[in-house]
Amino acid sequence: MAVLDDLSGFEFEDLMEDVFRNLGYENVRQAEKTADEGRDVLMEEVVDGTRRAIVVECKHTDTVGRPVVQKLHSAISTFDFDGPKRGMIVTTGRCTGPAHEYVERLRENGDPYPIEIIDGEALRDIADDVGLDLYNGRIEILCDETLRPYDPAGSSSAPIHQAFRDIDNIDGGAVPDPQSHVTFRPTVTVTADTDAVFKTSVGVIHRINDRTRFVIHADRGNPTIASEDVGTLVAENRHAAVELTDDEFEDAFDGVEQNRFGQTQTEYKEWAVDQLRRVHTTDVTYTGDNNVTYTKTCEPNLSDISVQSINAVYLPDVRHSVQLQNYTYPYQYFAAGPSRVTTEDGIHQCVHCETSGAGEPYTYCSNCGAISCEKHIKTERLDQEPVCTGCAVTERFALKTKYFYNDENLDEFREEYGEMSIPEKAMENTILSSAVLLLVMAFAVGVGIALL
């Protein structure tokens, strides 16, 4: 077992907890270390609808004799569990002949508490199945599944065409296909229980009984906890994951990249436990027997936190880029089939100011390709089509600024304006002409009153 021999007994138990969890056993946790009762790891399995408890004795020794097996049998019989029970001995070494004979006799006699032996040789085979590196004693990440990078009922570029549907003056279906790139980012979903009780001379002052599930972005470098919406995206679509192979999705995207997991599963577990200890640490104020107020920092111990599951899956990070005349519009999101969480939306954003967000109205300028907010879009005087303030040519007529696609349209309107009658020219500034009309009417009314 090479480097595994350097582990302490407690470290070996911690490692086996991870191994059994990866093998699919449920409610895997370490027994309390208060006394050696022949129980190191406790877990459960469901066979034909019946839940059964398993009591595990971990022995990080060269040989395991019959007394160890007998002690485990006694520990199983006294373990408080409402249902069938069995035992398991796991060792990095080997079990002696008498130990095997005792286990076989239990089986032949139909004993209600059978025992299974996993020795060093069997542990090597298990290591291959769960990604246990026997040279460093850590569980590696074994993952070849990903959430879907796009909805198979559509196309990989469908989301960007959909994003353009609420942009005025452009048909989403007419938008050219974008340049598309997908990066498969590693994630780890950790589910852990925290069960801690804090006591003083006055009794229990604080209690934690909480189950936490969170998703970790597991790229190289420091892991980070995903946002709540990304965590929900992963959790709700994990069941629909598909196999990720080297050439998968190359036909659907212009570029495909797969990031590596930055740490081992064991390291993510240790990191997650540290995070939970920090989250659950709190200062509690209480009154002592002497009526003096005290403040105690309640921080869970490592043994108070039991990791129930660690599930790895790749999360597609899709980035589109579409070119419309003078402007390039990025659109990026985490994908899970038809569902997605947008991280960058350059479509619902005015190119002239900081206005952004899908709730605002935006209009496409077919003259230059700009997407603009209401403040930066005008009506072109000749064609009566939208034009943005960034590309429009302007000139004042009847004291009002007019907007034109280009100098040619401006010259054409100058000629029309020159041939207009004075009332027609005045109507080029409706606000001004209305004000003049009101003044004239007021003057007329005033004259009428004076004549009376």
Side-chain angles (χ1 to χ4, degrees):
M1 287 297 171
V3 176
L4 278 186
D5 294 336
D6 297 333
L7 297 178
S8 68
F10 285 162
E11 289 172 333
F12 182 59
E13 293 169 18
D14 192 53
L15 174 62
M16 292 314 302
E17 179 190 347
D18 290 341
V19 169
F20 288 125
R21 186 183 304 110
N22 278 270
L23 288 174
Y25 292 98
E26 299 180 9
N27 198 21
V28 182
R29 72 273 190 199
Q30 294 185 48
E32 294 184 8
K33 301 292 191 293
T34 54
D36 185 4
E37 300 175 335
R39 297 193 290 261
D40 294 324
V41 175
L42 305 173
M43 56 191 186
E44 298 167 12
E45 64 184 354
V46 179
V47 178
D48 297 330
T50 300
R51 183 169 293 275
R52 179 165 57 184
I54 305 174
V55 180
V56 184
E57 174 77 1
C58 299
K59 285 297 181 183
H60 193 32
T61 57
D62 292 335
T63 59
V64 174
R66 174 174 172 161
V68 174
V69 183
Q70 290 176 309
K71 181 180 179 181
L72 174 61
H73 186 264
S74 175
I76 301 170
S77 65
T78 59
F79 178 57
D80 185 15
F81 182 79
D82 186 17
K85 301 174 285 187
R86 71 181 182 93
M88 187 183 296
I89 290 178
V90 183
T91 176
T92 54
R94 65 180 184 83
C95 285
T96 64
H100 281 285
E101 291 173 2
Y102 187 86
V103 168
E104 182 63 21
R105 189 176 303 115
L106 293 175
R107 186 189 66 80
E108 291 175 350
N109 294 337
D111 192 276
Y113 311 123
I115 294 175
E116 175 187 0
I117 292 177
I118 298 178
D119 59 15
E121 184 177 350
L123 192 54
R124 287 186 177 88
D125 295 334
I126 292 174
D128 292 336
D129 291 337
V130 302
L132 170 61
D133 188 339
L134 295 175
Y135 293 97
N136 63 25
R138 292 185 176 273
I139 306 288
E140 303 293 334
I141 296 288
L142 298 179
C143 180
D144 59 359
E145 290 187 320
T146 179
L147 304 185
R148 294 181 182 273
Y150 66 95
D151 183 359
S155 67
S156 59
S157 60
I160 201 162
H161 293 287
Q162 193 175 58
F164 271 95
R165 288 178 183 172
D166 56 356
I167 305 298
D168 293 336
N169 200 43
I170 187 171
D171 183 358
V175 175
D177 285 338
Q179 287 288 312
S180 299
H181 184 278
V182 58
T183 300
F184 293 97
R185 295 185 58 182
T187 68
V188 173
T189 302
V190 178
T191 302
D193 292 336
T194 304
D195 189 1
V197 178
F198 302 90
K199 298 179 179 179
T200 68
S201 60
V202 299
V204 176
I205 62 169
H206 186 55
R207 185 187 300 272
I208 304 171
N209 189 352
D210 177 73
R211 168 160 289 193
T212 307
R213 177 182 288 118
F214 54 93
V215 174
I216 301 172
H217 287 299
D219 292 304
R220 286 186 176 276
N222 294 327
T224 58
I225 297 178
S227 63
E228 183 177 352
D229 50 359
V230 172
T232 300
L233 182 75
V234 173
E236 293 184 351
N237 293 277
R238 180 67 180 83
H239 68 283
V242 296
E243 185 178 1
L244 177 61
T245 58
D246 291 340
D247 57 352
E248 194 76 15
F249 307 114
E250 287 186 351
D251 293 337
F253 295 91
D254 298 303
V256 177
E257 181 181 357
Q258 181 178 344
N259 289 356
R260 296 176 58 187
F261 283 85
Q263 296 176 284
T264 65
Q265 186 185 111
T266 305
E267 288 169 323
Y268 287 122
K269 172 198 168 185
E270 294 170 348
W271 183 86
V273 169
D274 286 341
Q275 296 297 310
L276 287 173
R277 291 184 69 192
R278 188 176 300 113
V279 167
H280 288 301
T281 297
T282 185
D283 290 335
V284 175
T285 301
Y286 68 97
T287 302
D289 295 328
N290 55 0
N291 288 326
V292 176
T293 300
Y294 298 92
T295 299
K296 178 180 176 61
T297 299
C298 298
E299 179 182 12
N301 296 317
L302 291 175
S303 58
D304 294 330
I305 299 175
S306 174
V307 175
Q308 296 299 310
S309 64
I310 300 178
N311 297 313
V313 70
Y314 284 98
L315 174 63
D317 186 358
V318 181
R319 183 175 180 83
H320 296 296
S321 180
V322 62
Q323 184 74 35
L324 295 176
Q325 299 188 62
N326 301 337
Y327 295 90
T328 301
Y329 297 98
Y331 190 60
Q332 188 168 0
Y333 52 86
F334 290 115
S339 302
R340 58 184 180 271
V341 174
T342 303
T343 56
E344 182 181 8
D345 184 359
I347 298 171
H348 297 89
Q349 180 175 319
C350 178
V351 301
H352 305 293
C353 68
E354 297 181 355
T355 300
S356 61
E360 300 288 335
Y362 299 94
T363 303
Y364 175 70
C365 174
S366 59
N367 192 49
C368 68
I371 293 176
S372 306
C373 67
E374 289 182 306
K375 293 181 180 179
H376 292 93
I377 200 75
K378 302 295 181 181
T379 300
E380 210 274 349
R381 176 57 185 84
L382 285 183
D383 295 343
Q384 297 296 302
E385 295 292 335
V387 62
C388 76
T389 58
C391 73
V393 177
T394 63
E395 189 167 313
R396 293 180 68 82
F397 294 88
L399 302 180
K400 182 175 177 62
T401 301
K402 301 293 180 182
Y403 295 84
F404 304 90
Y405 284 141
N406 47 39
D407 290 326
E408 288 75 13
N409 278 29
L410 171 58
D411 291 340
E412 182 179 344
F413 182 73
R414 282 173 180 160
E415 294 181 7
E416 290 185 9
Y417 188 78
E419 297 174 357
M420 289 180 183
S421 64
I422 292 178
E424 288 176 326
K425 289 181 178 179
M427 290 304 299
E428 290 298 321
N429 188 337
T430 54
I431 295 178
L432 179 61
S433 59
S434 298
V436 171
L437 178 60
L438 289 174
L439 287 173
V440 170
M441 293 176 62
F443 178 76
V445 170
V447 170
I449 293 174
L451 292 176
L452 294 176

